Amino acid sequence: MVTDKENRDQAIPPAKLDAGSLFVLKSRGSWLHCGYHLTTAIVAPALLSIPFAIGMLGWGGVVCLSMAALVTFYSYNLLSLVLEDHASRGRRQLHFRNMAHDILGPGWGKYFVGPLQLGLCYGAVIACTLLGGQSLKYIYLVSRPDGSMQLANFVFMFGGVTLIMAQMPSFHSLRHINLVSLLLCLAYCACTTAGSIYIGKSSNAPPKNYNVTEVGINRLFGTFNAISIIATTYGNGIIPEIQATIAAPIQGKMFKGLLVCYSVVITTFFSVGVSGYWAFGNQAMGSVLSNFLVDGRSLVPKWFLLMTNVFTLVQVSAVSLTYLQPTNVVIERRFADPKKDEFSARNVVPRLIFRSFSVIIATTIAAMLPFFGDIMALFGAFGCIPLDFILPMIFYNVTFKPSKRSLIFWGNTIIAVVSTVLSGIGAVASVRQIILDAKNYHLFANM
């Protein structure tokens, strides 16, 4: 028997949906599928930079890592509660842009939140493509230390695979890929942790120094840069789109998905962060796997290093597909016809052309700008922190209007204000780092 509450919770009728929402954001998934999507969006190879971030903070970085976990879980749950409230009133929101439009006003959705989310997600696709190319090159150099192939070659190889997989029709169709992604992230994090412990206990262990070496202004900016890295690592930016894949009724399902996701987050982030920093101290590199090689010599068995990088390579392709979904929504909305069948020639041909075009652009940028990691730190400060730490608090307070004397109102307000300050300082720190590294930048560099 269907209750009135379930009737109110049904998705927007197909006739009222644009092609992007109708074809890409199909509401057919379970809370378990939601957990797979959330895990792929958060638990990505970027977490291998956590020991580096802790190195700029000292062991206190573990406290920062814990605080970020608590705040993001709380923030994502607030977003899901806002989405559930609107769905129960017959207005299910499928996009971040829709939320901002309905809660803050049309201008916020059209001119701020929509472009901000799209830029962040497309930037993540570029970063994933670059990371995939770097993983391929890493595997190549481990196998052939004297190899002459350039980074750009590997970036284009990875982009070619993404070009094919980008034709998956909907977000929901990625559910099995993202289940494999979840298993792979557990696998390469287990390998990274085991490798760090093995190296840390071996006779070849590098000297450990847990002191923060920077002083003065460099230490201050290093601290904020590390906080930005950790915040970006926990970043998501597509919570509404992930919740849009859940079949109605949606009440409580996102919370279960978050529990699945954060059980993986806690397991992976802390094992890699603590073991990597313990093994290498303040010498931990931007990716802790880089510490496994010293002067071209592997500190762990070569097969183990290759296996770890293959796991990383395959998982990053799933992350790339996940962050392509907001771009796919825009493409379908603009070029597809919701009145025609999803797999009709009228819709398949534009989908094939424009999705391929978006992947080709992302791949070209990744090959041209192999220092895109520095740029993504800036994107994280401007994008991840507002979308994941600030707007959820504002959306909740505006939607539910908690008493200004209540703990939740002031807790949300404090988090939003502190996050705004961190976003501004993090952006300045990121720009400063780009300027410092500029002397090493050139197009198509073989980094």
Side-chain angles (χ1 to χ4, degrees):
M1 180 176 178
V2 180
T3 66
D4 290 340
K5 187 176 188 301
E6 288 172 334
N7 279 327
R8 290 196 307 271
D9 197 31
Q10 297 303 307
I12 302 169
K16 296 182 181 179
L17 291 175
D18 59 60
S21 301
L22 183 63
F23 297 153
V24 180
L25 301 179
K26 295 178 180 177
S27 301
R28 296 180 180 176
S30 67
W31 63 268
L32 201 53
H33 299 148
C34 174
Y36 303 158
H37 298 321
L38 284 165
T39 303
T40 300
I42 298 175
V43 188
L47 70 88
L48 298 175
S49 65
I50 291 175
F52 171 72
I54 295 177
M56 291 189 282
L57 298 169
W59 281 112
V62 178
V63 176
C64 182
L65 196 64
S66 303
M67 291 297 296
L70 289 171
V71 172
T72 51
F73 182 88
Y74 173 72
S75 172
Y76 298 152
N77 189 51
L78 288 190
L79 268 182
S80 73
L81 292 175
V82 172
L83 289 164
E84 288 177 5
D85 178 73
H86 280 80
S88 70
R89 292 189 272 119
R91 175 63 182 174
R92 186 169 180 185
Q93 299 159 328
L94 305 181
H95 311 278
F96 234 126
R97 185 191 68 255
N98 293 151
M99 294 188 75
H101 179 283
D102 292 349
I103 297 171
L104 302 180
W108 283 93
K110 185 175 182 180
Y111 298 111
F112 180 69
V113 175
L116 185 67
Q117 183 201 30
L118 187 62
L120 177 68
C121 291
Y122 195 68
V125 174
I126 298 170
C128 286
T129 305
L130 174 58
L131 184 57
Q134 289 172 334
S135 295
L136 272 174
K137 181 187 174 186
Y138 193 93
I139 293 169
Y140 171 72
L141 291 178
V142 170
S143 304
R144 296 186 58 184
D146 58 346
S148 59
M149 290 182 67
Q150 303 291 299
L151 175 60
N153 302 126
F154 297 105
V155 170
F156 283 116
M157 288 179 194
F158 184 86
V161 175
T162 305
L163 185 70
I164 297 169
M165 298 185 70
Q167 307 306 322
M168 298 288 287
S170 68
F171 204 159
H172 179 63
S173 64
L174 299 181
R175 62 195 183 281
H176 298 119
I177 292 175
N178 285 346
L179 169 59
V180 174
S181 168
L182 186 154
L183 298 175
L184 286 172
C185 72
L186 288 171
Y188 72 71
C189 287
C191 290
T192 302
T193 302
S196 296
I197 295 172
Y198 173 84
I199 294 170
K201 288 182 171 293
S202 73
S203 58
N204 295 323
K208 302 181 183 68
N209 185 347
Y210 300 117
N211 296 322
V212 179
T213 56
E214 300 289 355
V215 295
I217 191 69
N218 290 334
R219 180 165 185 169
L220 178 64
F221 276 110
T223 297
F224 285 110
N225 202 26
I227 292 172
S228 291
I229 290 171
I230 290 173
T232 303
T233 304
Y234 278 102
N236 187 297
I238 52 173
I239 290 290
E241 285 76 9
I242 291 175
Q243 189 152 334
T245 66
I246 301 175
I250 65 172
Q251 259 66 21
K253 293 180 180 177
M254 189 65 163
F255 182 75
K256 292 180 181 178
L258 281 169
L259 291 178
V260 171
C261 172
Y262 270 77
S263 64
V264 179
V265 166
I266 299 302
T267 302
T268 55
F269 281 40
F270 284 84
S271 63
V272 170
V274 173
S275 66
Y277 183 60
W278 170 80
F280 306 108
N282 57 23
Q283 297 304 306
M285 298 185 188
S287 170
V288 72
L289 291 181
S290 298
N291 288 97
F292 287 22
L293 279 176
V294 176
D295 298 326
R297 180 175 59 88
S298 177
L299 299 179
V300 295
K302 185 178 289 188
W303 63 266
F304 183 86
L305 193 57
L306 287 170
M307 178 180 68
T308 304
N309 276 276
V310 168
F311 290 156
T312 305
L313 172 67
V314 177
Q315 201 250 348
V316 79
S317 65
V319 178
S320 180
L321 293 177
T322 297
Y323 279 100
L324 262 178
Q325 298 313 304
T327 303
N328 291 345
V329 168
V330 173
I331 289 172
E332 299 283 307
R333 185 191 308 130
R334 178 65 181 83
F335 298 105
D337 184 353
K339 297 178 182 178
K340 301 286 186 180
D341 184 75
E342 178 184 1
F343 299 106
S344 65
R346 165 65 183 82
N347 288 328
V348 169
V349 172
R351 178 183 305 134
L352 178 64
I353 293 172
F354 290 103
R355 287 193 184 188
S356 299
F357 189 54
S358 74
V359 173
I360 289 169
I361 292 174
T363 303
T364 303
I365 294 173
M368 287 177 61
L369 307 176
F371 43 84
F372 195 76
D374 279 359
I375 299 173
M376 270 308 292
L378 182 61
F379 278 23
F382 275 128
C384 280
I385 293 179
L387 290 176
D388 298 329
F389 292 82
I390 301 173
L391 285 173
M393 312 301 160
I394 296 173
F395 286 167
Y396 185 92
N397 282 358
V398 173
T399 299
F400 292 103
K401 297 179 175 58
S403 168
K404 292 184 179 179
R405 296 180 179 179
S406 66
L407 181 62
I408 192 168
F409 174 85
W410 284 107
N412 291 349
T413 302
I414 291 170
I415 291 172
V417 171
V418 171
S419 298
T420 301
V421 173
L422 290 177
S423 177
I425 297 175
V428 172
S430 300
V431 170
R432 178 177 179 272
Q433 192 63 46
I434 290 172
I435 294 170
L436 290 175
D437 292 343
K439 60 181 180 293
N440 300 318
Y441 291 169
H442 62 88
L443 297 180
F444 295 101
N446 186 35
M447 300 176 71

